[in-house]
Amino acid sequence: MSHSFDLIKNRESGLKRELTSPQLTMIALGGAIGTGLFLGSKFAISFAGPSVLLSYAIGGLIAVMLMGALAEMTVAHSTTGSFGAFAEHYVSPLAGFLVKYLYWSCVVLAVGTEVLAIGDYMKLWFPGVPPLVWILLFAGVLIAVNMFNVKAFGTLEYWFSSIKVFAILGFILLAAILVFGKQEAGYGIHNYIAEGGFFPNGVSGMWVAVIVAIFSYLSVEMIAIAAGEAKDPGTAVKKAFKVTVFRLFLFYILTLALILAIANVRQILAGNSPFVTVMQVIGIPFADSVINVVVIVAALSAMNSQLYISTRMMFSLSRAGQAPAVFGRLHKNGSPVNALILCTGGIAVAACVYALNPESGFTFMMALSMFGAMATWLMIFVTHLAFRRAAKRDGTALSYKLRFYPSASWAGAILMVAIMVTTLFVEAFRMTLIFGIPFAIGIVVLYFILKKGRRAAPSGTADSDGDGTATGDEGTTSGLAVVGTGSEADRNMEGAARS
């Protein structure tokens, strides 16, 4: 089982293993604690009211099951292609191709949601400056950072995420004192039923908010991709999994519970970020500005992580011979700069969407990115079921196993299907499947076009591409060219799926 997977792993070689275990944890938190918590939570509250706590608990449970499945597979095989490579190997080459492109598209579009949020946050201080100015400025800075080597990225992301973590812990402490310590008349859990009750829009409203919760937790799977550049991936993934699960529940559930205990739903919906609204309700001088700095850092951090991940996924696609060879080339510092430039496309899309419709730009970008995210999570659960069956069939002893198999993976897959179907009945998310299904069909068509092109191309050996990585060499499986690697590339796509 592991020998044939080495074909996939070897073609993605060249990236430097410089990420430490703490950096790996912070990358996962950096992606997951961003706009989804600081701005998306307001959107979720508009659907569910105080029952949003149940929405995020359900989303969190799915995220935990997902991370458990990923941790098992990643400890067995750490590679940048991650769940895309796992799907290719354990399900089918088409499944791997589809997952990689769907996930890549969702993360690229998610970058756009983060940068739009930054533009909105800056209105607190500069209401007269067009948000488009801030969108372009901050995007330029982060693109420059990601052009450096992975160590520079990991260091910046560690400090970005650290600021978020300590700020949220400070917020939790202050809010807890106000709610449970001082026992002020206006604060307390009585706010949960003050306006329309705990379920102001019924159980259906709570369920719809799970869609936003899934978007909020999107990026926890980054641990698996970043493991391809970790110093000790097996140990780092195990530690990162445990720490991330605990912190996500702490930051999301507890934080939202305190926010709803201080500010009522009406006040939250009238403001921008719920965190800033709470500080304005409390009335601490300049506290809203301090929190606004934190939410901007949070969005920058999530955007930074998403640029990193989308770049690595495109790099993996190129090395598999499933995207143009140019995106599989590495700069002298070890960074896939060409892939990074392509992945800035989400920022361009977001800027155009904002220019056309600034009022609904954020929700529109969220709806577009959601399909790739949900389809990827669904396929991770399906892949995990296939992974475990293969391990049992081959008698492979897994060094890291979690409980509740296969129940957790089946439950996760069924819940993801239910959430995807729900988007059709919610106006704000209707574009998710309307955009997503044709996009997925287009990817499938592209797969067969490329496959046909490989079969038609003459086999042979190409020269080095100039970065030290051979293309189509008999001794490697890098497969950098989309067309022209001949039978070797075909074996990569079809043979790698067999144990």
Side-chain angles (χ1 to χ4, degrees), residues 35 41 45 58 72 80 110 190 221 241 300 303 318 390 403 438:
T35 301
S41 55
I45 290 169
I58 293 170
E72 280 192 10
T80 298
H190 60 81
E221 70 286 333
F241 168 67
L300 287 171
M303 185 179 167
S318 180
R403 298 177 184 178

Side-chain angles (χ1 to χ4, degrees), residues 136 138 203 232 261 451 474:
L136 297 175
F138 286 111
V203 176
D232 182 6
K451 186 176 180 181
E474 196 67 35

Side-chain angles (χ1 to χ4, degrees), residues 453-468:
R454 284 190 182 88
R455 286 177 174 171
S459 59
T461 302
D463 294 331
S464 171
D465 66 0
D467 62 356

Side-chain angles (χ1 to χ4, degrees), residues 234-308:
T235 303
V237 167
K238 293 176 190 176
K239 288 182 179 178
F241 168 67
K242 293 175 183 177
V243 172
T244 305
V245 167
F246 171 74
R247 288 180 181 174
L248 280 180
F249 270 97
L250 175 70
F251 294 153
Y252 275 91
I253 308 299
L254 181 56
T255 301
L256 285 173
L258 290 169
I259 284 173
L260 289 161
I262 293 175
N264 59 46
V265 172
R266 178 176 41 80
Q267 289 171 315
I268 291 171
L269 297 183
N272 195 347
S273 168
F275 285 78
V276 176
T277 299
V278 165
M279 286 304 175
Q280 290 170 337
V281 170
I282 293 172
I284 300 174
F286 306 111
D288 55 346
S289 288
V290 172
I291 289 295
N292 204 48
V293 170
V294 173
V295 297
I296 288 172
V297 168
L300 287 171
S301 170
M303 185 179 167
N304 194 35
S305 292
Q306 288 159 356
L307 275 174
Y308 166 81

Side-chain angles (χ1 to χ4, degrees), residues 95-307:
F97 185 84
L98 188 61
V99 167
K100 286 182 183 180
Y101 267 106
L102 286 175
Y103 186 70
W104 175 79
S105 68
C106 100
V107 178
V108 165
L109 292 169
V111 172
T113 66
E114 301 293 345
V115 78
L116 286 183
I118 293 171
D120 276 343
Y121 296 150
M122 294 299 290
K123 288 180 183 177
L124 180 69
W125 301 316
F126 306 99
V129 178
L132 203 57
V133 172
W134 305 115
I135 289 171
L136 297 175
L137 175 64
F138 286 111
V141 171
L142 287 188
I143 291 167
V145 168
N146 275 266
M147 285 186 175
F148 290 102
N149 60 26
V150 71
K151 189 174 182 180
F153 159 80
T155 302
L156 179 66
E157 190 53 41
Y158 180 85
W159 287 109
F160 264 170
S161 294
S162 296
I163 291 170
K164 285 192 294 189
V165 168
F166 286 115
I168 293 174
L169 288 175
F171 178 88
I172 289 172
L173 181 62
L174 173 63
I177 291 172
L178 290 172
V179 173
F180 301 110
K182 286 190 170 187
Q183 295 184 336
E184 299 255 348
Y187 308 146
I189 59 175
H190 60 81
N191 279 332
Y192 294 176
I193 55 173
E195 297 180 2
F198 190 69
F199 294 95
N201 296 316
V203 176
S204 61
M206 181 275 293
W207 174 250
V208 169
V210 175
I211 300 171
V212 185
I214 294 296
F215 176 80
S216 301
Y217 290 124
L218 172 64
S219 295
V220 294
E221 70 286 333
M222 285 183 178
I223 288 177
I225 298 175
E229 292 176 86
K231 291 179 179 178
D232 182 6
T235 303
V237 167
K238 293 176 190 176
K239 288 182 179 178
F241 168 67
K242 293 175 183 177
V243 172
T244 305
V245 167
F246 171 74
R247 288 180 181 174
L248 280 180
F249 270 97
L250 175 70
F251 294 153
Y252 275 91
I253 308 299
L254 181 56
T255 301
L256 285 173
L258 290 169
I259 284 173
L260 289 161
I262 293 175
N264 59 46
V265 172
R266 178 176 41 80
Q267 289 171 315
I268 291 171
L269 297 183
N272 195 347
S273 168
F275 285 78
V276 176
T277 299
V278 165
M279 286 304 175
Q280 290 170 337
V281 170
I282 293 172
I284 300 174
F286 306 111
D288 55 346
S289 288
V290 172
I291 289 295
N292 204 48
V293 170
V294 173
V295 297
I296 288 172
V297 168
L300 287 171
S301 170
M303 185 179 167
N304 194 35
S305 292
Q306 288 159 356
L307 275 174

